[in-house]
Amino acid sequence: MSEQTEQTQSGVVIVGAGMAGVQTAVALREQGYTGPVTLLGAEPHQPYDRPPLSKAVLLGKAEDSAFDVDFEALGIGLRLGVEVTGLRADVREVDTEAGPLPYDVLVLATGARPLTLPGSDGVPGVHLLRTLDDAARLRPVLAEAPPVVVVGAGWIGAEFATAAREAGCAVTVVEAAERVLAGAVPAEVAEPMGNWYAEAGAELLTGARVASVEEGRVHLADGRTLEAGAVVVGIGARPATDWLAGSGVELGPDGSVTADARLRTSVPGVYAVGDCASFPSARYGERLLVHHWDNALHGPRVVAANIVAQDAAETGPYDPVPYFWSEQFGRFVQYAGHHGGAEQMVWRGDPAGASWSVCWLQGGALVAVLAVGRPRDLAQGRRLIEAGTALSPAAVSDPEIPLKSASA
């Protein structure tokens, strides 16, 4: 029997009103679910998209990035400013600051929380950039163009440094690792990307650890002191799942909800989607935790299909080709796939140039591609990854040959 036919008036409760939560609610209606749908958001704001926060919203080119969704017309109950504090699966209730809320089916879409810099809590001038309120606090600061210190040279650090330079700020980026994007791409790929900082007029300090932060200053472990009208911390994020402690929902070592191939959790009637959930990938032979917009867009359709389906066998497993993009220092960077187990890396083009790509092959087939200013490589590469097409490394290495024509 389907979970839809077992619905009572409690219906589906979705915890988290970011991209994953909103898209789950919309997908339920699109796929014919007619029961009650309640969407809980911890923030008081109308649900919004996050990528513009580090770009248009931060620089004052847009006031917000609210989703263009008519929740009322779709019959979606939107409850904002509601923090969920616990889950009691035995009675199918979630605890909130406003009291318990029953559910028939629960969807966990709580996303991730940014990691904070130890010792920086409460220090004036220290910022994160994850929420609309974060962007609202930072926007007037950037407008004054103070010297800015960015802690972390990952994707968000590079994007914020880009915006700060555009606003006219002197920017110093501090990275504890010896290179940029240390956890994301190999050293030889990170090297040319690290050169972009200086080209944009930002100072990059790698192998530099922050010892302490005080108002107006950042002290490094090697004794250097950096003046800072603002400090922005971008050192990663962790799934927002602390509230699930003791609930019976299985969590991984990284704090992510351990979902199955249909995004079901270890607790009956509870699903997980987006940044807070890992899922098994048959394509890559390992469990993936994907903290990117595209995952939060497509995973909800699988969750909705499984809630609505009469038979779980009717719905396929969730096994996407991960995808994300980043706009930094005047370049459009795109990535598709997962290169962790790749046997061979092949360059396409000169990494010192304006546009180039890197392809990763496993067993002769393309498993991942990173494209800088080469959107056609990305689009074609993504389709080749999905198809598992074997490619000729020699043809792949020729940037004049379209990837779709590089088959072995």
Side-chain angles (χ1 to χ4, degrees):
M1 183 178 294
S2 75
E3 289 181 297
Q4 183 183 3
T5 58
E6 295 176 350
Q7 297 301 316
T8 67
Q9 61 181 0
S10 302
V12 178
V13 172
I14 303 167
V15 183
M19 170 64 82
V22 167
Q23 290 300 320
T24 299
V26 170
L28 282 167
R29 293 304 188 217
E30 289 178 344
Q31 296 185 32
Y33 179 81
T34 57
V37 176
T38 303
L39 182 62
L40 305 178
E43 296 181 54
H45 310 291
Q46 193 74 4
Y48 60 88
D49 203 6
R50 294 191 189 278
L53 296 184
S54 61
K55 306 172 186 74
V57 175
L58 185 62
L59 292 173
K61 298 176 182 179
E63 284 303 311
D64 59 36
S65 54
F67 292 116
D68 185 17
V69 175
D70 190 334
F71 295 99
E72 185 175 357
L74 290 173
I76 297 169
L78 189 58
R79 296 180 57 179
L80 302 176
V82 176
E83 187 82 40
V84 176
T85 58
L87 165 61
R88 287 175 290 119
D90 55 337
V91 293
R92 295 207 173 199
E93 285 185 346
V94 290
D95 290 321
T96 77
E97 294 171 329
L101 181 67
Y103 66 85
D104 292 310
V105 177
L106 180 66
V107 180
L108 310 177
T110 46
R113 288 196 174 95
L115 298 175
T116 58
L117 188 66
S120 68
D121 290 349
V123 177
V126 177
H127 302 264
L128 298 171
L129 183 52
R130 180 76 180 181
T131 69
L132 187 61
D133 287 340
D134 291 338
R137 282 188 288 266
L138 266 168
R139 186 162 58 184
V141 174
L142 285 192
E144 297 177 359
V148 172
V149 172
V150 181
V151 182
W155 300 112
I156 190 65
E159 291 183 0
F160 179 80
T162 299
R165 287 298 298 140
E166 186 175 333
C169 301
V171 175
T172 302
V173 180
V174 178
E175 170 57 52
E178 295 299 327
R179 56 186 174 86
V180 305
L181 297 168
V185 297
E188 56 266 51
V189 178
E191 182 178 0
M193 300 175 79
N195 295 333
W196 299 347
Y197 288 76
E199 293 173 13
E203 184 178 8
L204 174 64
L205 305 179
T206 56
R209 295 187 174 275
V210 175
S212 63
V213 179
E214 61 180 275
E215 185 174 6
R217 291 178 180 81
V218 175
H219 300 284
L220 303 184
D222 61 10
R224 284 178 290 180
T225 296
L226 307 175
E227 300 298 317
V231 178
V232 177
V233 179
I235 55 175
R238 182 177 174 83
T241 56
D242 290 349
W243 65 281
L244 291 170
S247 68
V249 173
E250 182 183 352
L251 303 180
D254 54 12
S256 65
V257 177
T258 304
D260 68 8
R262 289 180 169 80
L263 300 182
R264 299 171 296 196
T265 74
S266 59
V267 172
V270 181
Y271 295 80
V273 67
D275 289 7
C276 71
S278 66
F279 57 88
S281 171
R283 185 191 313 278
Y284 292 106
E286 61 183 282
R287 179 167 287 275
L288 300 181
L289 174 61
V290 181
H291 280 186
H292 294 296
W293 186 91
D294 196 65
N295 178 53
L297 175 66
H298 294 293
R301 297 171 189 168
V302 173
V303 170
N306 280 289
I307 292 173
V308 172
Q310 294 293 324
D311 183 348
E314 295 177 6
T315 62
Y318 183 61
D319 196 4
V321 174
Y323 167 76
F324 72 92
W325 78 96
S326 176
E327 295 177 83
Q328 50 184 269
F329 307 118
R331 293 166 174 85
F332 187 46
V333 183
Q334 294 173 283
Y335 178 94
H338 177 67
H339 66 269
E343 300 166 335
Q344 186 176 10
M345 189 177 76
V346 182
W347 288 91
R348 283 171 63 79
D350 182 0
S355 62
W356 47 273
S357 298
V358 180
C359 295
W360 286 270
L361 306 178
Q362 172 75 23
L366 186 68
V367 293
V369 56
L370 182 144
V372 177
R374 291 180 66 94
R376 188 170 298 175
D377 279 2
L378 191 289
Q380 294 179 7
R382 193 175 186 181
R383 289 192 290 269
L384 291 167
I385 295 169
E386 290 172 345
T389 305
L391 302 180
S392 161
V396 169
S397 68
D398 187 342
E400 300 303 319
I401 297 178
L403 272 181
K404 65 181 182 181
S405 302
S407 51

